[in-house]
Amino acid sequence: MFGLSRSTFLKKAGVLVALGSALGARAGTLYTVDVTTNELQTFNTQTLAFTNVAPMGVPFDFGNLAYNGSTMYMSQGYKGTDLYTLNLTTGNGTLVGNTGLGDLFGLAFDGSGNLWGGQSSGGTGFYSVNSGTGAVTEIGNPGFYLDALTYLPTTGQLLGIDAGPGTLYSINTGTGAGTLISNTGIFINNCGMAYDPDTGLLWVVDWSGQVLTFNPNNNFAETVVLTGQDHHDGLASVAAPSPEPATIAGIGIGVMALLRRRRK
């Protein structure tokens, strides 16, 4: 006999099943900034609805957002050279430090927790950003503007958009060089971009009031989803990546092992 009472066994099996469900959860919620009202908002990728969270107490225009798994960061864009963290309940910003860049428009964490920044309008530099101090180090110059950055966990790529032509690039974090991925010719104003594990799409909001998607599973095909919205910039997902198939399989194996041992 395995030595577990029926109630204890059911509790342990229930924990494993619940863990599997939690790991497979998809939030479908992205954070952005309504530049018109200086309001932190959420965007639901299923209902396509923007919802106010709270007014931001920090000036922002053409900046961006980045999330590291526990904390949301914000670059001010044209409104300043500082890096902040944001409270996702109150919208309040806490100063991290000065980047020295008044056009740090792109901002994103990669899968290793490194923070990267992209310059636009005043220059075309690609930078590593110290998330503890705000200090930046130039890695290279891709030769085009980086108005938005995001990390694509399914391929391990850091992606960037050059607004205006709306071209999508893969960025080499060692050199700053960019490799063209998509150029559909759709105009994109200054923007924010984030990967949503709920839909499997790259979502983009821009200063012209558009919402667009790139589909990584279909050669990054671009689709205009909404127009006529407020001016938006910055976009970040706080959802955990979906579990690997091996993780789900492991949970199932654990439950089956408990069942087999219980029957002995």
Side-chain angles (χ1 to χ4, degrees):
M1 187 65 68
F2 183 42
L4 290 178
S5 68
R6 177 180 174 80
S7 62
T8 301
F9 164 74
L10 290 175
K11 286 179 182 178
K12 289 181 178 290
V15 167
L16 285 170
V17 172
L19 177 60
S21 298
L23 285 171
R26 303 287 200 277
T29 299
L30 308 177
Y31 280 82
T32 186
V33 178
D34 186 326
V35 182
T36 305
T37 61
N38 206 43
E39 185 106 12
L40 182 66
Q41 294 184 329
T42 59
F43 175 73
N44 188 304
T45 60
Q46 295 292 346
T47 65
L48 306 182
F50 290 94
T51 302
N52 290 337
V53 174
M56 294 204 314
V58 180
F60 175 94
D61 193 15
F62 283 67
N64 227 304
L65 302 176
Y67 188 72
N68 70 351
S70 62
T71 306
M72 185 70 75
Y73 286 77
M74 182 198 76
S75 60
Q76 291 183 279
Y78 278 146
K79 290 295 185 178
T81 61
D82 290 326
L83 181 71
Y84 286 84
T85 59
L86 293 180
N87 184 306
L88 296 183
T89 301
T90 66
N92 290 337
T94 300
L95 178 65
V96 174
N98 194 298
T99 68
L101 296 173
D103 59 346
L104 191 65
F105 288 5
L107 197 68
F109 283 95
D110 64 18
S112 299
N114 301 304
L115 183 59
W116 305 99
Q119 197 175 12
S120 182
S121 79
T124 55
F126 174 71
Y127 299 84
S128 66
V129 183
N130 187 312
S131 61
T133 66
V136 300
T137 301
E138 186 168 6
I139 302 300
N141 191 328
F144 51 83
Y145 295 138
L146 285 170
D147 296 274
L149 290 169
T150 198
Y151 178 70
L152 183 59
T154 56
T155 61
Q157 293 171 288
L158 187 72
L159 303 178
I161 288 181
D162 180 6
T167 44
L168 182 68
Y169 292 88
S170 175
I171 307 299
N172 185 315
T173 57
T175 65
T179 300
L180 182 65
I181 291 178
S182 175
N183 184 9
T184 63
I186 298 176
F187 173 80
I188 299 177
N189 207 331
N190 187 259
C191 58
M193 174 172 58
Y195 173 72
D196 169 40
D198 186 47
T199 56
L201 300 173
L202 291 165
W203 290 80
V204 178
V205 295
D206 81 350
W207 210 87
S208 292
Q210 296 184 105
V211 177
L212 311 96
T213 60
F214 288 96
N215 188 344
N217 301 309
N218 185 25
N219 298 315
F220 293 90
E222 188 176 5
T223 301
V224 178
V225 178
L226 293 174
T227 59
Q229 307 301 303
D230 279 354
H231 303 310
H232 286 95
D233 212 337
L235 197 65
S237 171
V238 298
S242 60
E244 296 295 331
T247 302
I248 299 173
I251 292 170
I253 290 169
V255 173
M256 293 304 296
L258 278 175
L259 288 169
R260 285 196 299 270
R261 297 177 71 179
R262 175 63 181 164
R263 290 191 185 108
K264 291 181 179 177

